Amino acid sequence: MNNKMKKIAVLLGAVLASTSVWAKDTVNIYAASSMTNAVDDLITAYEADHDVDVVPVYGGSSSLARQIERGAPADVFLSANETWVSHLIKNNIVSRDNVTLLAGNQLVLIKPSASEQQPFDVANKQAWLNVLKDSRMAVGNTDAVPVGMYSKEALTNLGVWDTLQPKLAQTNNVRLALALVERGEAPLGMVYKTDAALTDNVAILSTFDPALHSAIHYPLVQITDKDASRAFVDFLKSDKAKAVMEHYGFRTDMGTETFAE
């Protein structure tokens, strides 16, 4: 081999080596805000054993679903309710066969930790008004954000929705609702039990009866069919992953519960 050929071979080898470095698999997971801490830990655990970059995008499930519908490069979607997954199925964006119920949660009423507010009858309209006075209660958007949708169902079934609707501070995701109560900007908030457990700055006043709202399910969706996506989804359904979610208070024994499209 002459010198010219050797140079070409060296350059070609360098290009191939560079290509192999940049060819590392990437999995993009679009996950509900309420899953932020758990998914961060799950990604850390997975990347420790796999040569894969897992990139999370967090937000309200409605916003994430709309991004996916518009072509966002999501490989995996973890929603905080079934409604937005059903929306994607009906619009032929994802397949029903690729949906698994991963976890469950509870809806709670919270207050700032420094508040002296005591539990009250959540079915009593006047009791709510006495607590809120001229302020507003923090909730997720009741028409789009899952925690807000569950909240609206619960308040409607309690018979207090019409009274409380004008007194709601609606946010784009559950973490923003939590933050309003943490900072003392709202005297009450409706969030998931797992979010309330993340901070010492709020306290739980009461847990809503699950019969008051739709079951709080987290459907997991494999969107792309590549091996890296499939492997990561399999990991999320493993006992190791369930232990991480249970650490954050999520319910992972779904029993006979099924995805209701």
Side-chain angles (χ1 to χ4, degrees):
M1 181 183 295
N2 59 37
N3 289 337
K4 184 176 182 180
M5 291 296 289
K6 287 181 180 178
K7 289 180 180 179
I8 292 174
V10 170
L11 288 172
L12 184 58
V15 170
L16 290 174
S18 175
T19 301
S20 65
V21 170
W22 292 107
K24 187 175 182 180
D25 284 328
T26 298
V27 175
N28 298 313
I29 177 170
Y30 282 46
S33 295
S34 54
M35 271 282 182
T36 299
N37 298 70
V39 170
D40 280 347
D41 281 4
L42 289 166
I43 289 172
T44 298
Y46 188 74
E47 289 183 337
D49 297 326
H50 299 80
D51 189 25
V52 176
D53 282 330
V54 181
V55 181
V57 176
Y58 299 112
S61 298
S62 56
S63 173
L64 297 176
R66 291 186 180 111
Q67 291 177 52
I68 292 169
E69 188 176 13
R70 291 194 295 265
D75 297 300
V76 178
F77 179 36
L78 182 53
S79 174
N81 75 353
E82 300 183 25
T83 300
W84 288 105
V85 173
S86 294
H87 173 78
L88 294 177
I89 292 172
K90 290 172 183 175
N91 285 279
N92 299 314
I93 308 298
V94 302
S95 169
R96 170 66 182 84
D97 294 338
N98 292 332
V99 179
T100 304
L101 289 185
L102 189 68
N105 214 330
Q106 290 178 284
L107 185 66
V108 298
L109 180 67
I110 60 171
K111 66 171 184 175
S113 294
S115 168
E116 296 182 358
Q117 178 61 49
Q118 297 299 308
F120 59 92
D121 181 4
V122 293
N124 186 311
K125 296 179 182 179
Q126 191 57 50
W128 282 100
L129 294 176
N130 291 343
V131 174
L132 290 171
K133 298 183 175 65
D134 294 328
S135 57
R136 294 175 180 268
M137 177 168 67
V139 296
N141 183 295
T142 56
D143 291 324
V145 176
V147 74
M149 297 166 73
Y150 295 126
S151 298
K152 180 178 180 179
E153 285 185 60
L155 297 175
T156 298
N157 287 322
L158 284 167
V160 299
W161 170 251
D162 290 340
T163 299
L164 293 181
Q165 184 181 12
K167 300 189 73 64
L168 301 180
Q170 301 193 34
T171 65
N172 289 331
N173 62 65
V174 67
R175 291 298 172 87
L176 293 177
L178 177 69
L180 288 177
V181 182
E182 279 191 286
R183 297 195 297 261
E185 296 176 21
L188 298 175
M190 291 178 71
V191 300
Y192 298 122
K193 183 178 181 181
T194 52
D195 290 291
L198 292 173
T199 172
D200 293 330
N201 295 325
V202 305
I204 294 176
L205 271 176
S206 59
T207 300
F208 291 92
D209 184 340
L212 291 170
H213 54 77
S214 303
I216 301 178
H217 288 157
Y218 286 75
L220 174 68
V221 189
Q222 181 185 321
I223 299 175
T224 57
D225 195 38
K226 61 187 185 182
D227 291 342
S229 301
R230 189 179 303 107
F232 184 57
V233 165
D234 287 343
F235 166 74
L236 293 178
K237 295 187 285 187
S238 70
D239 289 342
K240 182 176 181 178
K242 287 181 179 180
V244 172
M245 289 182 282
E246 288 167 3
H247 169 74
Y248 284 100
F250 291 96
R251 181 171 58 89
T252 62
D253 182 8
M254 305 309 291
T256 59
E257 297 174 64
T258 58
F259 175 76
E261 186 180 336

